[in-house]
Amino acid sequence: MKLERLFEVKGQKLYTMSGEAVSLEEKAFPVKWSDVESGAEEYNEDFLAKLRDELKSLEEKGEFVFIEPVFDKSADYGQFTASMKHCARRIKDCVSVIGFAIPTEIFENRAFYIEELSAKHTQYCFFCKQDAGSDVVLY
């Protein structure tokens, strides 16, 4: 199931496809890596089903969020990316998801992360905040 793109990035700002500017305030929806992946490529399907239900309830309210992965495990960026890609597959029909945040821990490998998550989810936008005081960068 492919969803239509509802948002786009222009000049480092987020817009609806009809051209209305969208504020990023209160749009982050934290998802811990350890909740998604219980072991190396062992995914917590119960957690992911509940996450999908929660995102579907936001959809019913007309609310939109960015999934903000919390990098709370010790492993390489490839394993983290595989975990978030699996998460994206489980929530693929959730219109309420604007896209995914890029954790600072994998910023140097952001191109790989974006490519992997965008492969089947072309509607997603991505953002990151390199430092606590820096501006948000959208992709």
Side-chain angles (χ1 to χ4, degrees):
M1 169 184 206
K2 264 195 158 173
L3 296 179
E4 289 184 36
R5 180 177 274 264
L6 299 178
F7 299 92
E8 64 182 338
V9 176
K10 290 188 215 172
Q12 293 302 312
K13 296 198 184 296
L14 185 66
Y15 294 90
T16 63
M17 293 306 287
S18 61
E20 297 172 46
V22 178
S23 170
L24 292 178
E25 287 186 39
E26 299 181 25
K27 296 282 187 214
F29 192 97
V31 174
K32 289 181 183 178
W33 179 11
S34 60
D35 287 338
V36 173
E37 184 184 72
S38 50
E41 294 188 35
E42 291 179 24
Y43 302 112
N44 184 340
E45 299 299 342
D46 185 50
F47 169 79
L48 292 168
K50 289 176 184 169
L51 173 63
R52 181 188 173 278
D53 290 345
E54 198 168 347
L55 293 169
K56 286 303 236 177
S57 73
L58 292 176
E59 183 178 317
E60 291 170 8
K61 298 175 194 172
E63 296 178 12
F64 298 93
V65 296
F66 271 100
I67 300 298
E68 186 169 23
V70 178
F71 200 97
D72 66 343
K73 291 174 55 169
S74 178
D76 66 26
Y77 73 91
Q79 185 179 344
F80 171 80
T81 299
S83 181
M84 289 305 116
K85 185 176 181 179
H86 185 79
C87 178
R89 280 196 301 263
R90 293 296 177 254
I91 62 173
K92 68 183 176 209
D93 66 336
C94 296
V95 175
S96 61
V97 178
I98 300 168
F100 276 69
I102 305 166
T104 56
E105 292 88 347
I106 65 158
F107 183 76
E108 290 181 14
N109 299 295
R110 67 192 175 279
F112 175 74
Y113 177 78
I114 291 171
E115 181 180 326
E116 287 292 299
L117 270 68
S118 296
K120 293 193 176 191
H121 310 284
T122 56
Q123 79 275 15
Y124 284 164
C125 298
F126 295 86
F127 84 94
C128 67
K129 195 173 196 178
Q130 279 191 274
D131 299 309
S134 71
D135 291 333
V136 171
V137 179
L138 290 152
Y139 297 91

